Each structure stands twice: as structure tokens, then as C-alpha cells.
Amino acid sequence: MPGGPGWTVTEPFKPVVKDGKLYGRGAIDMKGGIAAALGAFKALQLSGAWPQGLRLEAAFVPDEEIGGECGTGYLVNGMGVTPEYVILPEPSGLEKPWHGHRGILWMKVRVKGRTAHASTPWHGRNAFLLASAIALDLQQALAAMYAGRRSKYRIEPEESARPTVSLGGEAGVTGGGKTNQVPGEFYFTVDRRLIPEETVAQARGELVGVLTWLSVKHGAEVEAEEVISAEPAINEPGELYEALREAARQSGRVIGQPVVCPGGLDMWYYTVKGSKALAYGPRGELAHAPDEHIDLVELRFLVEAFARLPLTLAGALQRRT
């Protein structure tokens, strides 16, 4: 993740501790979670309290932000790693864990016109203007389509309980362009977020269907290419949540019932294989933002809670049997 502008306490990639907080890009998302997991493993080793009968593994992957195919996807689908229980130290906030997440579909839409010299624009067809009109129509059509949908699950913030779409995160003339040239091809991106009741195939079909209609309406050649996708995830972790709640209580904090993450995570790779999973970690308000930081008191709590979690889970499993 780029450092970005607006930092005041330190430069993005020069970590500094100030007033009990560690500042730096990734301090929350998600080096803080990684540090908490490593600290928990070290605490278990030093204490000699390693739980009998449980196999603990840690996996650190590099590409969750872009779909996770080469990290968690490879571990699960390529290496066959299918644990029964999974904790992802994502920045959920310490008040409650995430027991699922929305899905994601990224597409690149190319609109083709005809290049010409800007001094004689009537010889061309401006792909930028075509793409702009198509993008506006697409936004309106999708907004109407999604208006009646709402997830039955608790997703926070509540605006995320509906499907959403964001257009134009990336956009531009394909293959270069000049001021004195009518653009012959223009592209824009689509970021579609799915509620748990939807599937990637459904979302893709809807987008392609609307774009096909708009290509006819505007008399333009339109191509849509999928960039990345990830299915939504939802699971009822049961004993995993009870064990996490008890581990947090023993570490000095009461946590609430799980909710669904508004963004996307690697969790779906595990849940489709039957793993029970939760995401739990530091407060995420400043993730990817200027002056990103983690409170070291919160980090210490996470280390303690994660270290206790295997023990409380072992106890929960014994009671279940």
C-alpha cells in the first residue's frame, strides 16, 4: 500500500513511537495483527502452555488487498491447507469480531470510438464522451437494481448492508493520447461489492447485461474484463467465538456478537472449504490513512488474547465432547 500524502507525525515508512502509539504505514492494516499473532506464539512458547491436541499454524501472505489468489488462495487450493478453525488478525476493532465479509468484483470497461485529429473532430468519435455517458447510465441502472436488496445479516456500517458499486477508481485513454487527438478508446473501472446473499456469477451477469444494453443504446462497442473477484463469506463460528470471547474476557475486555465486515477479506477461501473463521484485530479507522498508528496497549491486549485463545478453544472442544 503506498504511503500517501498528509502525514504529520512521521514519514509513512519510518516507524516512530509517540505517546504510546506506533505510527507508520501498515501499523493497523495489517502489521499490527501480524505482530500480535507472532507475540502470541512467542508467549505460548515461553510460558510452556502450548495446548495439547491442537496444531497451531501461522500464515502470512502478501496479496490480500488484490484478491489473495497467490497467498491464501495458493495455501488453501494449491497446498490443501484446510484448518478447522481460523483467526484472521484483520482490523475489525476490539469491540466485536467479523464472522463474514462482503464479496468483491472488479471489472475494467473499455469503450471504443474512433480516433481523429482534434482540429477535425467530426472525423472521429470521442470515446471519452461515450464512456462518460455510459458510466452515468450504468450508475443509475445499477442503483435502481440494488435499491430493493438488503442483507439479513448485521453489517457495519449499516449502509454496507446493501450492494454498492463505485465507478472510475481508475480511468483513462487506452494506449496513450494527446490533447490534439480525439480519444479512440477510453476505459474506466467498476468496483462492485456483494452482500452475503449474492454471488460473483450473479453480480458479473448483471453488470455484463446492463453494459450490453448500454452498448446498443449508445451505439458503441463496449468490452468488460474481470480483474479480480472474491465471493462473500458468512459462517457461524460457534465454539470459536465463545473461545475468543473468553480469551478476551481473561485479557480484560468484553467483546460483542460478531458482525459482517463491509470490505473483502481472505476469509472466503477458508469458509468455502468448511473452516470456521473469525477476523479480529485492532481498530481500523486509520487503515490506509495518513498518520496510521496502533495503540500499544491494544497491541498488548491482542497478544494476550491470541495467546489465550488456543487454551480456551481446547477447553470449549473438551466440553463439547
Side-chain angles (χ1 to χ4, degrees):
M1 182 59 60
W7 288 72
T8 62
V9 176
T10 184
E11 296 179 23
F13 300 108
K14 290 185 177 180
V16 64
V17 175
K18 182 178 180 181
D19 298 328
K21 300 177 179 65
L22 172 62
Y23 288 81
R25 171 59 75 233
I28 292 173
D29 188 14
M30 73 167 279
K31 305 303 185 295
I34 290 174
L38 288 173
F41 271 74
K42 188 66 174 180
L44 284 169
Q45 181 186 42
L46 293 175
S47 67
W50 200 272
Q52 299 299 314
L54 287 181
R55 178 177 176 178
L56 305 181
E57 296 181 356
F60 305 121
V61 296
D63 61 338
E64 183 267 346
E65 295 280 354
I66 54 173
E69 183 177 354
C70 296
T72 302
Y74 179 73
L75 286 175
V76 173
N77 298 320
M79 298 180 63
V81 177
T82 54
E84 187 173 357
Y85 301 99
V86 180
I87 287 286
L88 295 87
E90 291 275 4
S92 65
L94 301 182
E95 290 75 21
K96 56 183 76 72
W98 289 326
H99 71 118
H101 59 77
R102 297 202 299 171
I104 183 172
L105 173 63
W106 286 0
M107 300 193 78
K108 178 178 284 188
V109 178
R110 292 185 177 89
V111 180
K112 298 184 179 181
R114 186 170 60 253
T115 301
H117 197 285
S119 65
T120 56
W122 53 86
H123 289 313
R125 195 172 187 210
N126 194 312
F128 165 68
L129 296 179
L130 274 174
S132 299
I134 289 172
L136 287 172
D137 282 354
L138 178 62
Q139 179 73 43
Q140 292 176 357
L142 294 178
M145 185 181 296
Y146 303 155
R149 300 181 193 173
R150 186 178 182 87
S151 178
K152 67 180 181 180
Y153 297 99
R154 184 180 174 190
I155 308 178
E156 295 183 351
E158 62 180 21
E159 292 86 352
S160 300
R162 298 186 186 277
T164 57
V165 64
S166 177
L167 306 184
E170 294 182 27
V173 176
T174 303
K178 297 178 67 177
T179 302
N180 64 341
Q181 185 179 56
V182 175
E185 184 172 311
F186 195 87
Y187 80 93
F188 62 90
T189 55
V190 178
D191 184 327
R192 165 78 153 91
R193 299 304 170 110
L194 293 67
I195 58 176
E197 291 84 353
E198 298 177 308
T199 66
V200 168
Q202 174 189 355
R204 184 192 303 114
E206 291 174 345
L207 276 169
V208 171
V210 174
L211 287 169
T212 300
W213 167 64
L214 291 175
S215 71
V216 174
K217 175 184 175 181
H218 292 273
E221 184 179 350
V222 179
E223 296 179 353
E225 172 192 0
E226 182 172 322
V227 180
I228 64 170
S229 63
E231 296 288 350
I234 197 75
N235 69 133
E236 303 299 338
E239 61 270 17
L240 179 59
Y241 166 68
E242 296 299 330
L244 178 62
R245 184 172 66 172
E246 176 60 20
R249 186 194 66 79
Q250 293 179 12
S251 303
R253 183 178 289 268
V254 176
I255 64 174
Q257 291 292 320
V259 297
V260 175
C261 172
L265 307 172
D266 276 355
M267 185 185 292
W268 75 277
Y269 285 107
Y270 293 109
T271 57
V272 298
K273 299 294 185 179
S275 300
K276 296 180 179 180
L278 285 174
Y280 186 67
R283 290 179 293 175
E285 293 89 346
L286 290 176
H288 300 189
D291 292 335
E292 180 178 355
H293 64 267
I294 185 169
D295 188 304
L296 296 181
V297 173
E298 291 189 359
L299 179 60
R300 177 180 291 275
F301 160 78
L302 284 169
V303 171
E304 294 180 6
F306 287 161
R308 288 188 169 100
L309 178 57
L311 307 176
T312 57
L313 180 58
L317 295 177
Q318 289 178 354
R319 291 190 295 273
R320 188 180 65 174
T321 57

